[in-house]
Amino acid sequence: PYGQMSLWGTPIKNLSYLVLTKDKPDKQFMAMFMGFMDGDGYFDIGEQKQYNKKTKAPTRSTIRIRLASNVNTRDLALLEYFLEVLKVGKIDTMSGDRDQVRVIFSKKDLITRILPLIKEYNLEFLTSQREKQFALVNYILDNSITHWENLNFKESLFVVKSVSELAKLDYFCDWLVGFTIAEGSFGFKARGSAFFQLKQSGEDNVNLLKTASFVITGEHSIASFKPDSSGGYQLSLSSKKDIEHVVSFFS
């Protein structure tokens, strides 16, 4: 019924002009990066089997920790931009799928570069999924847990922030740009009217969509957010006034 396009509109060919001249990324970039990872990334935390080099016998398993995101090959330049600014990470072509590439930030990358920047700028992951994963990462690192068998983590209850709390975060707008790159879409309906949509799964994340609506339009959403059959929620802005706000925000 309608066509959609990414935030960028067309495949990105060269983002080198966006790379910061400073030695480290600024808060604006890091907030955008975390918004993207909130929407389209994941922490890969699991058992890393180890074997004796001589006998090949299994030994105590260690813990694998890395941050990753899989995207279509047309968005490769975006991942290259992340690596150029962060100065860590690597990009892999995913086996068996010629249309996807993956960016991976190793445990070393996280410890030496990404986590210190998150702490320095006082940033947070905002989706419930990523926040819970990040809590496990911090638990492992803070307690110097090396072996999988010693991992005894009890997941704490995710505290849902209110719209007013989220809107007061000084990095929310930059986070929203990254989150939109991952989860948003712009398009036109059959009759030619424009729309902006932002999707996310899980009731815990509905306030993120409501806050996005508020910071873009300046008005609190009165729309009822109802889940679809798979538990997904959607913000949709399509009135002429709202689209003007959308264009102004992203400009």
Side-chain angles (χ1 to χ4, degrees):
Y2 51 75
Q4 293 188 7
M5 57 185 174
S6 70
L7 172 64
W8 299 98
T10 57
I12 308 164
K13 295 182 179 179
N14 187 358
L15 282 172
S16 61
Y17 67 91
L18 288 173
V19 177
L20 304 174
T21 57
K22 296 180 181 179
D23 181 55
K24 65 180 179 182
D26 62 14
K27 186 172 183 176
Q28 184 179 27
F29 170 87
M30 286 304 299
M32 181 275 291
F33 171 74
M34 291 179 68
F36 177 82
M37 286 297 176
D38 254 318
D40 212 13
Y42 58 93
F43 281 99
D44 178 16
I45 307 165
E47 182 179 7
Q48 187 72 51
K49 294 186 180 297
Q50 301 293 332
Y51 299 89
N52 185 287
K53 292 183 179 180
K54 292 183 178 180
T55 66
K56 306 301 181 182
T59 59
R60 298 174 70 189
S61 297
T62 56
I63 300 173
R64 178 182 63 256
I65 299 176
R66 55 188 183 179
L67 176 64
S69 176
N70 308 339
V71 302
N72 191 281
T73 52
R74 65 174 178 265
D75 294 321
L76 173 61
L78 177 63
L79 303 187
E80 292 174 337
Y81 168 50
F82 288 158
L83 265 60
E84 195 167 359
V85 177
L86 288 166
K87 297 181 174 61
V88 292
K90 67 176 183 177
I91 296 174
D92 285 340
T93 301
M94 299 185 67
S95 59
D97 192 337
R98 291 178 294 177
D99 293 329
Q100 284 204 332
V101 289
R102 174 173 58 185
V103 63
I104 299 173
F105 299 98
S106 67
K107 180 180 178 180
K108 180 181 178 180
D109 295 336
L110 290 170
I111 292 175
T112 61
R113 187 67 165 169
I114 296 176
L115 298 187
L117 287 168
I118 291 175
K119 183 176 181 181
E120 177 180 347
Y121 294 136
N122 195 28
L123 300 172
E124 298 176 81
F125 288 100
L126 298 181
T127 62
S128 60
Q129 300 95 320
R130 218 66 62 240
E131 194 275 346
K132 291 175 182 178
Q133 293 171 351
F134 192 48
L136 176 56
V137 169
N138 283 320
Y139 173 82
I140 294 169
L141 298 179
D142 290 345
N143 292 280
S144 302
I145 300 173
T146 303
H147 297 100
W148 182 256
E149 64 191 46
N150 295 331
L151 183 58
N152 184 26
F153 176 72
K154 294 183 179 180
E155 186 178 282
S156 58
L157 182 67
F158 175 74
V159 179
V160 178
K161 289 183 174 65
S162 67
V163 172
S164 60
E165 288 175 314
L166 290 167
K168 288 178 182 177
L169 296 175
D170 62 359
Y171 57 86
F172 186 85
C173 289
D174 297 310
W175 176 93
L176 180 56
V177 171
F179 192 64
T180 298
I181 294 172
E183 297 286 11
S185 61
F186 300 85
F188 295 89
K189 297 180 181 180
R191 289 180 292 181
S193 59
F195 68 85
F196 166 67
Q197 291 179 343
L198 194 60
K199 298 180 180 180
Q200 185 60 202
S201 61
E203 187 176 2
D204 288 345
N205 297 313
V206 171
N207 279 357
L208 289 174
L209 302 181
K210 291 182 178 180
T211 308
S213 178
F214 173 67
V215 300
I216 291 174
T217 67
E219 299 177 357
H220 286 283
S221 174
I222 59 173
S224 175
F225 286 84
K226 296 181 180 180
D228 58 23
S229 59
S230 59
Y233 293 81
Q234 177 175 287
L235 164 67
S236 183
L237 300 175
S238 59
S239 72
K240 180 179 178 180
K241 179 181 177 182
D242 285 344
I243 292 302
E244 289 174 349
H245 285 306
V246 169
V247 172
S248 177
F249 176 83
F250 286 103
S251 294

